[in-house]
């Protein structure tokens, strides 16, 4: 998974235009890759099967990434400075 947030500053309007792009490859087959643009928060997780203290096997989360952890702080700074945020599909 790759996530890119592009921003264009429009100083005369005190405006920032955001474009979020995502590339996902859920398998080793690159023909299966997916591309998306626009604001679409997502949470990505990886799991591993481990043996618990009771001897039973269970799934344990080994990785977690929420796209909002990256984009929300950018938006908060822009809005806190008195500027406007606009999501766009083309920069």
């Amino acid at each position: 998974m790759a996530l890119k947030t592009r921003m264009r500053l429009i100083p005369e309007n005190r405006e920032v235009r955001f474009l979020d792009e995502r590339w996902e490859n859920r398998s080793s087959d690159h023909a299966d890759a997916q591309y998306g643009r626009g604001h679409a928060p997502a949470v990505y997780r990886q799991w591993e099967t481990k043996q618990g203290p009771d001897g039973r096997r269970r799934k344990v989360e080994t990785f977690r990434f929420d796209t909002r952890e990256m984009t929300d702080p950018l938006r908060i700074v822009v809005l806190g400075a008195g500027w406007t945020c606009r999501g766009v599909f083309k920069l």
Side-chain angles (χ1 to χ4, degrees):
M1 192 265 305
L3 176 67
K4 181 193 288 187
T5 297
R6 296 169 51 188
M7 302 184 319
R8 174 177 281 169
L9 302 176
I10 315 293
E12 58 273 10
N13 298 344
R14 295 181 53 88
E15 178 180 284
V16 177
R17 295 186 182 172
F18 282 87
L19 174 64
D20 294 330
E21 296 179 293
R22 294 167 312 288
W23 293 267
E24 283 185 72
N25 192 7
R26 295 184 181 226
S27 70
S28 60
D29 180 14
H30 293 290
D32 211 15
Q34 295 180 340
Y35 172 76
R37 354 172 33 150
H39 184 64
V43 178
Y44 298 91
R45 296 177 180 183
Q46 288 180 347
W47 302 85
E48 196 174 283
T49 303
K50 291 190 176 184
Q51 189 170 354
D54 60 357
R56 298 179 73 188
R57 298 186 60 77
R58 62 188 70 200
K59 283 188 174 182
V60 177
E61 188 176 81
T62 57
F63 174 78
R64 181 179 192 280
F65 175 71
D66 186 336
T67 59
R68 290 170 290 205
E69 292 174 10
M70 211 170 106
T71 56
D72 285 355
L74 295 171
R75 294 182 205 294
I76 289 169
V77 168
V78 168
L79 295 172
W83 285 47
T84 302
C85 289
R86 294 199 195 284
V88 296
F89 287 106
K90 182 179 176 184
L91 278 181

